[in-house]
Structure formats: C-alpha cells, structure tokens
Amino acid sequence: MNPNQTEHLVFRSCLYVPAHQTRLVERAYESQADAVILDLEDAVPPSEKLRARENAARITATTPPKPTFVRVNSMASGRAEDDVRAVAGPGLSGVRMAKVARPEDVRQVAMLLAQAECPAPIHLLIETAHALEIAFDLATSSPAVSMMSLGESDLCTDLRIKPEAPTMDACRSRVVIVSRAAGLPSPCQSVFTDVHDIDGLLRTSRSAKAQGFMGRMAVHPMQIPAIHEVYTPTAQDIADAQAISRTAEIAREANRSIVLNERGTVIGPPILANARNVLQLAEALNLLEAPV
C-alpha cells in the first residue's frame, strides 16, 4: 500500500498506539496495519501528555512509513489546540477529534490546520449521546471533515449500556446513515477491547461489516489478521464484481441501464456501484491481477 494514500476506503485496519511509548510506536509501524493512529488522549496518562505530543510531532514532521493519524485530546481538556498545532506536519494523514461535542470546535480545528497550511482532514469520534444526536450537524460543520466513527467504550458508558445491547446497534446504524447522508465514506468500526478473544473480534467485525462499516480500529497488532480477514474482498467477491462490471458494460453498449446476468440477477446502477466499490478497494490493496 502507498504510505501517502489517504483514501479511507483502503483502510481495513488502523492500529491505535500510545504516542509516548516509543517501542510500541515502532512496533505499530512494523505491523500489518494499514494505518497507524498515534494516541494523545485516553491511552496517555497526564504526566506523559507533553512527551506524547512531542513524539507525535516528530513523526508527523517527517514522512512516516504508513498513513499516520493523531487522536488529539478533547477540546474540553484544554490541550486540543496545542496538540493540533504541534502535529500539523507534512506526515499527518488526519486529525481524530476525541469526544467531539460542538460544530464550532470542529471549525476551530479546521482553522488551526489551515493556518499551519496542513491539508490533513478531520475524523470525528462520536462518544456521547449528545454528539450522536447532532451527528449530521457535526459531519457537515466543515469541508475538512472526512470521516465519522463511534467511540463505543465512552458511548456505552454515557448510555449506560453494554456493547452487545440493541441500543448500540441503533447507534452503529445511525453513524453509518449519517456518514453517507453527509457524503462521507462509510465509517470505520470501533475497537474490540479483548485482544485475546479473536472469535469475538471476528464475530463483531462481520456483524458491523453487514451494517455498513468498512474497516476497524485495533488496539493490538495480533488483532490485525482477523480484521483483514473480514474486511478484505475475497477472490470470489472480486470475480463477482468484475462479472457485474462486464455485464453492465454490455448493457451500456446496448443503451440499457438494467440487464439480467447469466444467473438471472438484475444488474442495475445500484448493483454496479457496489461492484465498483469492491473493485476500488481491491485495486488499492493490489489484489487485482494485471491484464494479460
């Protein structure tokens, strides 16, 4: 994968790592993760906040080996603005706003990035019931916003529910719908906190993929293979998408928008759009065979 590629559709996995722990940061870049998130927020104790910011700034001032995002502290913490100024370097692929609460806060971060002449986009982390209620306003608050995700641990605490509760499924559905309504890519799934429960990771990842998520955050390198297993198009997925594209091309040449394929399936614009999404991801991941 091209380290400078910041199209979110290629990110099956993003690995969170505390920015103050240098060895863990090195391991994150050595891992199979598609992208790395340097965390300045929950994974960093107050006594290490400054060191974490300095380490992240040093990395984003260069060209890191993988797309690199930084989760900054919340605006309510009083640290966010200094975090953004520090990490707004040429190696920053995006700012992840923790516990986002107000559209004006999003616009403030966008202004700081613009002042630093940093083109990195903003990812919004929805972690409270209030933020979920105003999610569309947040998603459309600035052209710099390029993704919205749930922070499920904090959201569960705020809602007083467990991750497997039906209420959380409703939250997941809402962030998927709002993302697409706002013209954003489909969201990445929140982390699975039990690093040893790979079966649980696979089960919840498959469920979220069916709900409309397009990748997943990870908290440990051992989770990456399972996430890739779920979110990587299979050979059959790719073959089906290619067949749909060929059928659609035949229909176009015949001046038709809808046609039946050899299986008797109706191939129309929505089916073609889904096929193109699969092929776009497969191409980004170098899974397509070169034409003979």
Side-chain angles (χ1 to χ4, degrees), residues 3-6 8 11 60 66-69 89-95 120-121 123:
N4 298 317
Q5 173 66 37
T6 56
H8 302 286
F11 293 152
T60 57
K66 293 179 184 287
T68 299
F69 299 83
L92 180 67
S93 294
V95 168
H123 292 186

Side-chain angles (χ1 to χ4, degrees), residues 205-277:
S205 296
R206 291 179 182 129
S207 175
K209 181 181 179 182
Q211 286 181 287
F213 288 80
M214 46 64 65
R216 188 159 202 177
M217 308 300 168
V219 292
H220 194 283
M222 73 169 61
Q223 296 179 313
I224 302 300
I227 292 172
H228 285 186
E229 178 181 332
V230 173
Y231 283 105
T232 302
T234 66
Q236 188 61 56
D237 292 335
I238 295 170
D240 289 346
Q242 289 172 327
I244 289 170
S245 295
R246 288 193 297 268
T247 300
E249 179 61 23
I250 293 170
R252 187 189 65 79
E253 291 174 354
N255 199 29
R256 298 166 62 186
S257 62
I258 295 177
V259 68
L260 292 177
N261 66 10
E262 64 277 6
R263 300 177 185 174
T265 301
V266 175
I267 304 299
I271 301 297
L272 178 59
N274 284 333
R276 286 173 175 163
N277 288 339

Side-chain angles (χ1 to χ4, degrees), residues 27-73:
R27 287 178 58 195
Y29 283 113
E30 294 166 357
S31 75
Q32 297 175 295
D34 291 337
V36 170
I37 301 171
L38 302 174
D39 192 15
L40 306 185
E41 200 222 3
D42 282 352
V44 181
S47 61
E48 297 290 346
K49 292 288 187 181
L50 181 58
R51 184 152 72 104
R53 179 191 294 161
E54 291 172 345
N55 284 348
R58 174 179 52 79
I59 292 169
T60 57
T62 64
T63 303
K66 293 179 184 287
T68 299
F69 299 83
V70 178
R71 179 168 73 169
V72 298
N73 290 285

Side-chain angles (χ1 to χ4, degrees), residues 134-286:
I134 63 167
F136 187 79
D137 291 339
L138 293 169
T140 57
S141 59
S142 168
V145 175
S146 68
M147 181 170 281
M148 174 177 285
S149 301
L150 290 179
E152 291 194 5
S153 293
D154 284 286
L155 185 56
C156 282
T157 298
D158 192 39
L159 295 173
R160 302 176 183 177
I161 60 172
K162 294 183 178 180
E164 62 272 18
T167 305
M168 184 52 64
D169 274 337
C171 297
R172 296 180 186 117
S173 296
R174 177 161 171 77
V175 79
V176 169
I177 294 168
V178 168
S179 293
R180 299 305 297 135
L184 302 179
S186 298
C188 274
Q189 188 181 4
S190 188
V191 299
F192 189 78
T193 56
D194 188 343
V195 298
H196 297 292
D197 184 6
I198 300 302
D199 288 341
L201 174 63
L202 286 167
R203 173 177 47 79
T204 55
S205 296
R206 291 179 182 129
S207 175
K209 181 181 179 182
Q211 286 181 287
F213 288 80
M214 46 64 65
R216 188 159 202 177
M217 308 300 168
V219 292
H220 194 283
M222 73 169 61
Q223 296 179 313
I224 302 300
I227 292 172
H228 285 186
E229 178 181 332
V230 173
Y231 283 105
T232 302
T234 66
Q236 188 61 56
D237 292 335
I238 295 170
D240 289 346
Q242 289 172 327
I244 289 170
S245 295
R246 288 193 297 268
T247 300
E249 179 61 23
I250 293 170
R252 187 189 65 79
E253 291 174 354
N255 199 29
R256 298 166 62 186
S257 62
I258 295 177
V259 68
L260 292 177
N261 66 10
E262 64 277 6
R263 300 177 185 174
T265 301
V266 175
I267 304 299
I271 301 297
L272 178 59
N274 284 333
R276 286 173 175 163
N277 288 339
V278 171
L279 294 177
Q280 182 182 6
L281 177 55
E283 182 179 11
L285 298 173
N286 300 315

Side-chain angles (χ1 to χ4, degrees), residues 78-110:
R79 297 187 175 99
E81 294 189 11
D82 287 340
D83 286 346
V84 173
R85 291 189 185 97
V87 303
L92 180 67
S93 294
V95 168
R96 292 180 65 78
M97 287 187 65
K99 299 177 176 67
V100 62
R102 307 186 306 167
E104 50 265 44
D105 291 340
V106 180
R107 290 190 283 270
Q108 176 67 10
V109 170

